[in-house]
Amino acid sequence: EVQLAESGGGLVKPGGSLRLSCVASGFTFSSYSMNWVRQAPGKGLEWVSSISSGSTYIYYADSVKGRFTISRDNAQNSLHLQMNTLRAEDTAVYYCARCVVGGTMHAFDVWGQGTMVTVSS
Amino acid sequence: QSALTQPPSASGSPGQSVTISCTGTSSDVGGYNYVSWYQQHPGKVPKLMIYEVSKRPSGVPDRFSGSKSGNTASLTVSGLQAEDEADYFCSSYAGSNNLLFGGGTKLTVL
C-alpha cells in the first residue's frame, strides 16, 4: 500500500525550530518529486516547498523562504522539513505529499496524515 | 500572489449537478493547464480529484469533471451523492515555481 507518514510536529515557542520528517512506503520514493503543504486550523491549503526526485530542484513559498529547508534521503525513503525562526502564522497541520508522475509541484496524488505544528509562547 | 478565488459555499440536491468555480489570473489559471481539485472531508486528508484541468486519477468516479475557460477553472459534480459533501480546494501552478490554492468551497448536499 502506498503510504506517507509524517512525524516531528509539536509545540514550539516563536523563534524556535522544529524538524519534520516523512517516511514513504509502497512506491519507488526516488522516482517522485515530494512536497510539503500546510493547513492552518480551519483554513485552506498552502503549498510550502517542493523537492525534485534527485534533490536537484528545490522551491519554497515566499512565506517560508530563508527560514525553512527541505531535504530528502532516497536511501531511507524519507523527506524532511527543517523549520527555523518559527512564527505564530506557521501554526498548521503539515502534510507530506507526492507529486503526480512527471511533475514537480502541480498536483499531489498521495498525502500523509499530517503532523500538527503549534507556534505559541 | 493572492490565493485563487472560490465561492465559500455551494449546494445541490441528490442526483443534481453542481459546479464550483476557481478564478485566477492570466499568470496562473489562465496561463497553465495545471489546475487541480482536491476533496477534503472534515478531519480527513485532502484527496486529488482532478489534475491538469480535466484528468481524473484512477478510482475517482466519472461524476467528477474539470474544465477551464480563460482565467476560471470549474469542477462539476454530476449525480450528487451524500458522500460528496465536503470541502473542495482548487490549485494552480502560478509560474516562477509557485503553486497557489483557492480558499475552498464547502459543498452541501441538501
Side-chain angles (χ1 to χ4, degrees):
Chain A
E1 184 186 359
V2 174
Q3 284 188 326
L4 297 170
E6 303 94 336
S7 61
L11 174 64
V12 61
K13 289 181 168 54
S17 299
L18 213 54
R19 186 177 192 241
L20 306 183
S21 295
C22 170
V23 175
S25 60
F27 66 98
T28 305
F29 180 73
S30 59
S31 296
Y32 290 84
S33 291
M34 297 297 296
N35 291 257
W36 289 97
V37 177
R38 68 185 180 183
Q39 187 170 31
K43 302 295 184 182
L45 300 169
E46 180 187 13
W47 170 76
V48 173
S49 182
S50 172
I51 186 168
S52 61
S53 57
S55 303
T56 301
Y57 303 103
I58 288 175
Y59 308 113
Y60 299 99
D62 287 344
S63 58
V64 306
K65 203 171 293 184
R67 299 188 299 122
F68 290 12
T69 302
I70 191 173
S71 63
R72 65 190 294 164
D73 182 344
N74 287 342
Q76 299 292 323
N77 291 342
S78 61
L79 175 73
H80 306 282
L81 186 67
Q82 177 66 43
M83 305 186 295
N84 298 330
T85 320
L86 283 160
R87 306 166 179 166
E89 54 265 35
D90 295 319
T91 294
V93 174
Y94 283 73
Y95 294 103
C96 166
R98 185 183 84 172
C99 191
V100 297
V101 170
T104 300
M105 57 191 290
H106 70 280
F108 311 124
D109 62 349
V110 180
W111 295 64
Q113 288 299 309
T115 187
M116 183 71 204
V117 172
T118 303
V119 184
S120 174
S121 54
Chain B
Q1 285 167 301
S2 301
L4 307 175
T5 300
Q6 296 181 236
S9 63
S11 62
S13 300
Q16 288 186 331
S17 293
V18 64
T19 297
I20 299 171
S21 62
C22 172
T23 302
T25 69
S26 58
S27 296
D28 38 68
V29 174
Y32 306 92
N33 288 323
Y34 285 137
V35 176
S36 299
W37 290 91
Y38 299 88
Q39 176 192 66
Q40 186 178 35
H41 288 106
K44 300 298 185 181
V45 174
K47 176 185 177 182
L48 181 65
M49 305 302 284
I50 296 288
Y51 68 104
E52 293 173 12
V53 177
S54 59
K55 295 180 180 178
R56 263 190 320 276
S58 174
V60 173
D62 59 7
R63 302 185 294 103
F64 291 85
S65 62
S67 62
K68 189 183 83 167
S69 177
N71 297 336
T72 298
S74 299
L75 172 72
T76 297
V77 186
S78 305
L80 267 177
Q81 299 181 4
E83 59 261 35
D84 299 333
E85 185 162 296
D87 293 326
Y88 291 84
F89 296 92
C90 65
S91 72
S92 174
Y93 181 68
S96 301
N97 304 308
N98 189 29
L99 185 77
L100 294 177
F101 280 95
T105 297
K106 182 177 179 58
L107 175 60
T108 300
V109 180
L110 302 171

